[in-house]
Amino acid sequence: MSKTISKILLLIFLLNIISVVSFAGEDYISHWTMTTDKKTYLPGDYLILTIKNSNSINPFNGARIHFTFDENLLEYVTDFDELYNNIGAEPATLPGSASYGTCSGGMITNDGEFVDTIASVGLNLREAKDVYTVYFKIKKDIYGTREVNFRWILNSKDYPSWVVQTVPGVSGDTETYLNVKFEDTSIVITGENMVEDNKMLSGSHSGSFSVKNDSENTLTEINGTATFISTDYAISFGRVVPRNNGVIKTKAGFLLSATNVDMNIQNKMLKNFEAVNFGSDNFFVGLFYGPGLKAGETYYVMPYVTYSDGITLYAPQATSFTMPGNKEDAQ
């Protein structure tokens, strides 16, 4: 695969972490949450993930459940006898269990992507009710403390999650896709301590590159706000590494500078951008744009993660990007 194609695919993956296509604002019909039976697990434990609805939806005519998880750490369990014998679970149907209507059978569509569609016949989905249940098992031989993020898929190009009702009308029934706020969740797995605690972030999982913006107004969503980007932009990414003794991340982000000097959080002269969203396997992304980034100029980025023991880890070295265009045209 060529470097250009690889960069394009990476860009699509990274933008999916920070971007979705729903910009409907705060007027939500309902909130759909993913909740787990515990927040901290040990290797070999079972995990029950429950989809819950907040407000009454009547008529409720179906939904798509589509989310990501870290398949390297979790195993999707579909064996009825295994679940009954080990945790006494009696789901109505497997794989997946729909509390309302029927489901076609949940499946893993890609690495770490669970998807299923619920079909119903105009049921009244009452408020604060469980809608769907998925069963996982924490894999064994896990080392270090790992955070696993369950993230709803909302990008329209990726079969987004949705909730629909059918409203009768004079000229026929109309399917209405409801404005639902889908809320992510996360859990912590406390595995055996590694032989040596990590002293830095992974250099192979950090990088930066710039992108020529061919559209005058590229629409994306940044931390829940619809944003038009009219300038060229750059992408940086990093990944949280596991630590020993139950230590988890408290903050992550990127330091941005025009020079590769003193790239640490104590240097208050640097621009410090905190990461908000994290991929299921703990990738985090920075999107840099605006007139402050000059054409033809090179900038340096240092990803960092601060952990619950107060220690901050950095990548082995800063990465860099050069904005498209040249300095002469920018003057």
Side-chain angles (χ1 to χ4, degrees), residues 64 107 124 127 133 166 175 210 249 260 264-265 295 309:
R64 177 181 289 142
M107 64 181 69
N124 178 13
E127 64 182 23
T133 306
T166 302
E175 280 196 346
S210 60
K249 80 169 191 304
N260 189 10
N264 59 73
I265 59 174
D309 60 354

Side-chain angles (χ1 to χ4, degrees), residues 70-111:
D70 192 340
E71 199 174 31
N72 294 313
L73 301 177
L74 304 182
E75 174 188 351
Y76 171 44
V77 181
T78 63
D79 188 297
F80 175 87
D81 291 331
E82 177 185 353
L83 292 171
Y84 179 80
N85 292 334
N86 288 284
I87 60 175
E90 296 189 85
T93 57
L94 282 173
S97 177
S99 303
Y100 289 79
T102 58
C103 52
S104 57
M107 64 181 69
I108 307 300
T109 57
N110 296 304
D111 291 344

